[in-house]
Every structure is written in C-alpha cells, then in structure tokens.
Amino acid sequence: MWHVEGFSARDAPGDLEAFLRDRFLPYFRGRGFGVRVFVTQASLGSRQFWLATEMERFADIDGWPERAGDEGAALIDELLTLTDGIQASVVAEL
C-alpha cells in the first residue's frame, strides 16, 4: 500500500527537485521510510511531482510524526512552502 501525494512546484521546479533529492529523500530514507519521488515527463500528467510513501497498513500513518522527528516535521513544512496543489491518495496494488 502507498500514500501518494501529487503536487507542482510553487516556483522553479528545479529547486523543488533539488530539495527532494538532496535533503528530503535522504533524511526520510535514513529514518526507515520507504519513500520515492517521481517526476512527470513531457508535461504529461496533472501534477509535476509524485511523492509515494510505502506502508503496510493504513494505521501506519499514525506513527509517522514520531518516526519522522522534529527535523522531519521541519522538512515537511519546507516542502509545503515549495509546493502547490497537493492532492493525496492511498493506493494498493491489485
């Protein structure tokens, strides 16, 4: 199961991509999260970026704040300032 958030960059997409690649992903992967970011290609899609966080069951979300810690919360706050049009879903593979 995955928690997926689609969003676009508020400003320059390259700045958001660098933040995700260089700071966000390494931190959350270091905290044990199975997290991936996908970038829409050739302007095909409703959002520029897709952040997918793996979870075994829906209730896992409840433990994420503690697992992410204070620095994780700060990174999420920064992500929110860099993005626009966030749309979240929870999906499961058939």
Side-chain angles (χ1 to χ4, degrees), residues 1-5 50-58 61 88-94:
M1 187 176 310
W2 295 85
H3 181 271
V4 181
E5 296 181 7
W50 301 91
L51 170 66
T53 307
E54 193 171 18
M55 54 191 204
E56 288 185 33
R57 58 193 175 285
F58 195 80
I61 293 172
S89 299
V90 174
V91 298
E93 187 173 353
L94 293 177

Side-chain angles (χ1 to χ4, degrees), residues 14-87:
D15 293 343
L16 178 55
E17 188 171 335
F19 166 77
L20 290 164
R21 181 189 60 240
D22 300 338
R23 296 179 51 214
F24 192 91
L25 287 173
Y27 178 81
F28 281 95
R29 287 176 177 159
R31 300 289 284 206
F33 286 88
V35 63
R36 297 177 182 188
V37 173
F38 300 92
V39 180
T40 299
Q41 300 295 294
S43 299
L44 296 173
S46 59
R47 301 285 186 263
Q48 291 174 320
F49 296 90
W50 301 91
L51 170 66
T53 307
E54 193 171 18
M55 54 191 204
E56 288 185 33
R57 58 193 175 285
F58 195 80
D60 290 351
I61 293 172
D62 295 338
W64 285 359
E66 182 178 306
R67 214 169 128 199
D70 292 340
E71 187 175 346
L75 286 168
I76 290 170
D77 286 344
E78 188 171 348
L79 176 65
L80 293 173
T81 67
L82 296 171
T83 61
D84 188 38
I86 293 178
Q87 187 174 23

